[in-house]
Amino acid sequence: MENSVTATARLVVDLDVTGATINRHVYGHFAEHLGRCIYDGFWVGEDSEIENVRGIRSDVVAALRALDIPNLRWPGGCFADEYHWRDGIGPRDERPRVVNSHWGDVVENNHFGTHEFMDLCELLGAEPYIAGNVGSGTVQEMSEWVEYLTRGDDSPMARLRRANGRDEPWKVPFWGLGNEPWGCGGTMSAEQYAYEARKYATFCREHSGNTLMRIAAGANEGDLQWTRALMEALDCVGCTMYGKPVYQAVSFHFYTHSGSGINTEDATAFTTEQYYDTLAYASEVDRILRGHIAVMDTYDPDGRIALVCDEWGTWWNVEEGTNPGFLFQQNTVRDALVAGIHFDAFHRHARRLQIANIAQTLNVLQAMILTDGDAMVLTPTYHVFEMNKGHQDAQSLPVHVLETPSTTARGAELPLVSSSASTKDGKALLSLTHLGAESDLDVSVDLRGRGARVARARVLTGDSTAAFNDVDTPEAVAPAPLEATLVDGILSLRLPPHSFATVELDVD
Ligand code: AHR
């Protein structure tokens, strides 16, 4: 176990050895009709006293724009497989009310539908990722939704869209073929779903110059058999369309918790042992990525099929006094470190991983923003996304950890440093997550291959691993300047316990 004496870590970064480009879409987001994510989060309605643009909350949009959100997944999650898109178009007061059976069994008034979602994406500057309904919908229903959104001529669905006030078709690059079909999306076997995915994908047409990445709903965590079945199902007569495989991506979901499962621990009250257990669990994402990628490499050595992690993040007990079906949880320094660990793994696997979506953007699970009436709080996780945004579309760089303190968690050794780096446009960005709960960490990084100068260094931490922001103390966990020196190619800095840091470099 670590002690409170300052520990040391030594790293090497090869600034001149560029790897795969980190697709900006691994910084994607997820907004489900769940609890207060859409209603009371993004959507307050045009008549609200909270400042809004066409019903969409302005302060939330402004805060999220600062993250350069590349894509937003909607409408679920489990909700996607009981969502019928025609319920959410046309005059709002005429839209049917339905039951959201997965999330709190509440009545959904469908005021936020297709046009509102596309408007939100335009306000955010994000690309839409729509998850269609395989579980309880029909092939025709999904096919017509694609046509409604993306067709430019005088087709029946294009006419219907125009009748609802939108002349021009939208571009929709990402299309999900259901969600968690092994569970809430239909309780199917992998083989059964693979056939469904092929059939639904076939009828998701590319209209009017729109290109679709059709994403087959994938494995729970490290279920490699699921990925294998989806990859095998692509090997069939007629399994190509428009010269592409019938679906172009497979996904998986990975939630972080500690102990015996989700809903077993509070977001803000946990022991040091649970803290390390959580970070060890989060670190498993690297092993899980490697597993899925190894399977995909066997069937698709040329990398034509993308891997997508379209739900990730922490899952804690709901906050006391809130609806258990709404999944509302606080967000601490521990959550921020979980995010740092995930991004390092995403950057390392940039060759195959093309999209990732944190669950979820607002008021649900590991959120960026928590709203409370007209107030809004940025969470520690928000700050990791902001500090890390320079990795988007940058080329990954190898980081070698030569020396790091470690501890034991989940029965194995847990290194207390996680790191990744990238370069773009004459700059480099180094991210460092210090997992140690008690000691400072003296870090020295040998920057090899190119000359470099420190442009800015920042650190994110709080008084404890459980520190969080709320309306009374919105800046308890916020980025602060960090002292970093660079002499003869050696970058030196001291990280406080339980912290996340970024160093921005100008490189020759
Ligand atoms: O993000 C909450 C839920 O978690 C999603 O609806 C579902 O896909 C997953 O089980």
Side-chain angles (χ1 to χ4, degrees):
M1 208 32 129
E2 47 157 354
N3 56 39
S4 56
V5 175
T6 302
T8 56
R10 282 191 309 122
L11 289 78
V12 173
V13 178
D14 295 313
L15 293 172
D16 59 343
V17 183
T18 48
T21 298
I22 298 164
N23 195 320
R24 69 180 183 284
H25 289 293
V26 301
Y27 282 81
H29 282 255
F30 174 34
E32 180 167 13
H33 288 239
L34 193 179
R36 297 193 303 112
C37 182
I38 298 293
Y39 301 108
D40 213 23
F42 282 113
W43 180 256
V44 289
E46 286 161 326
D47 298 333
S48 172
E49 286 179 3
I50 297 174
E51 197 184 322
N52 67 85
V53 175
R54 296 180 291 280
I56 296 166
R57 212 174 148 143
S58 303
D59 54 354
V60 161
V61 167
L64 293 175
R65 279 189 72 88
L67 299 184
D68 295 345
I69 290 187
N71 74 78
L72 184 64
R73 178 174 182 249
W74 172 84
C78 295
F79 184 77
D81 280 301
E82 64 177 6
Y83 183 64
H84 300 282
W85 67 272
R86 278 194 171 79
D87 293 348
I89 57 172
R92 273 185 215 115
D93 55 2
E94 292 173 21
R95 295 183 192 174
R97 292 161 70 83
V98 298
V99 174
N100 186 336
S101 62
H102 287 293
W103 306 118
D105 211 29
V106 294
V107 173
E108 155 73 53
N109 65 17
N110 278 305
H111 282 191
F112 190 90
T114 298
H115 291 251
E116 290 79 11
F117 172 66
M118 297 305 289
D119 195 13
L120 171 61
C121 286
E122 284 177 357
L123 291 172
L124 291 173
E127 300 200 62
Y129 170 3
I130 291 184
N133 181 346
V134 169
S136 69
T138 65
V139 173
Q140 184 176 356
E141 184 182 358
M142 189 185 290
S143 180
E144 288 180 346
W145 199 8
V146 176
E147 180 188 328
Y148 184 90
L149 282 153
T150 60
R151 191 153 177 111
D153 63 8
D154 196 28
S155 80
M157 290 304 113
R159 278 182 171 218
L160 181 59
R161 184 190 66 241
R162 288 199 189 94
N164 287 325
R166 170 78 186 198
D167 186 21
E168 287 300 307
W170 290 285
K171 293 285 185 210
V172 180
F174 308 119
W175 196 272
L177 306 165
N179 171 76
E180 295 192 354
W182 37 266
C184 64
T187 333
M188 295 180 232
S189 69
E191 290 71 23
Q192 190 185 0
Y193 170 71
Y195 285 121
E196 293 295 313
R198 285 199 323 215
K199 189 170 64 180
Y200 276 77
T202 306
F203 293 93
C204 292
R205 308 290 190 191
E206 299 200 325
H207 300 284
S208 309
N210 184 63
T211 51
L212 284 177
M213 178 192 275
R214 301 167 191 78
I215 301 165
N220 184 27
E221 301 194 345
D223 180 359
L224 302 187
Q225 180 46 37
W226 191 279
T227 301
R228 205 168 286 126
L230 290 184
M231 295 303 292
E232 258 169 27
L234 283 174
D235 184 17
C236 72
V237 178
C239 269
T240 45
M241 279 197 326
Y242 308 106
K244 300 193 285 194
V246 69
Y247 44 83
Q248 297 83 38
V250 301
S251 73
F252 75 101
H253 291 174
F254 177 68
Y255 282 99
T256 292
H257 46 79
S258 79
S260 49
I262 58 172
N263 287 346
T264 57
E265 194 179 303
D266 291 341
T268 56
F270 48 87
T271 63
T272 303
E273 190 184 344
Q274 288 171 320
Y275 163 80
Y276 283 125
D277 193 278
T278 301
L279 299 182
Y281 201 97
S283 303
E284 285 287 290
V285 70
D286 191 81
R287 184 184 60 79
I288 286 170
L289 279 163
R290 272 188 279 119
H292 290 301
I293 290 169
V295 171
M296 294 177 77
D297 283 348
T298 309
Y299 292 90
D300 174 39
D302 299 334
R304 295 206 302 162
I305 308 297
L307 182 60
V308 169
C309 176
D310 49 14
E311 288 183 30
W312 68 272
T314 55
W315 194 315
W316 309 124
N317 289 337
V318 299
E319 293 302 313
E320 212 179 315
T322 65
N323 187 327
F326 282 12
L327 310 187
F328 177 73
Q329 65 189 40
Q330 247 300 353
N331 192 296
T332 67
V333 165
R334 175 174 66 163
D335 295 82
L337 305 191
V338 166
I341 289 167
H342 275 73
F343 282 128
D344 290 338
F346 293 168
H347 301 160
R348 277 194 288 275
H349 297 288
R351 179 179 62 88
R352 184 70 78 165
L353 186 76
Q354 298 299 317
I355 302 177
N357 303 80
I358 189 158
Q360 301 191 4
T361 308
L362 277 182
N363 292 333
V364 169
L365 297 176
Q366 190 173 352
M368 310 306 105
I369 295 179
L370 305 177
T371 62
D372 181 0
D374 62 357
M376 178 190 87
V377 171
L378 305 181
T379 66
T381 301
Y382 173 97
H383 295 301
V384 174
F385 272 71
E386 190 278 318
M387 292 165 73
N388 249 10
K389 69 181 180 183
H391 289 298
Q392 295 188 23
D393 287 336
Q395 287 178 287
S396 57
L397 293 169
V399 178
H400 314 277
V401 180
L402 304 184
E403 180 190 335
T404 171
S406 63
T407 190
T408 303
R410 299 183 75 82
E413 188 178 355
L414 174 68
L416 295 180
V417 172
S418 174
S419 180
S420 61
S422 69
T423 185
K424 181 175 68 176
D425 302 334
K427 298 185 182 309
L429 179 61
L430 173 69
S431 298
L432 292 155
T433 304
H434 175 210
L435 285 55
E438 283 144 27
S439 337
D440 284 350
L441 183 69
D442 278 337
V443 183
S444 88
V445 187
D446 189 350
L447 298 171
R448 294 187 185 162
R450 291 164 80 179
R453 289 158 302 286
V454 175
R456 178 165 71 152
R458 291 187 290 167
V459 65
L460 179 78
T461 189
D463 286 348
S464 72
T465 56
F468 59 85
N469 296 332
D470 61 14
V471 279
D472 298 323
T473 53
E475 305 268 309
V477 185
L482 174 71
E483 201 180 311
T485 57
L486 208 172
V487 180
D488 295 336
I490 305 293
L491 175 72
S492 305
L493 45 90
R494 175 170 286 192
L495 294 178
H498 48 79
S499 60
F500 172 77
T502 49
V503 183
E504 299 164 34
L505 300 160
D506 293 324
V507 290
D508 298 333

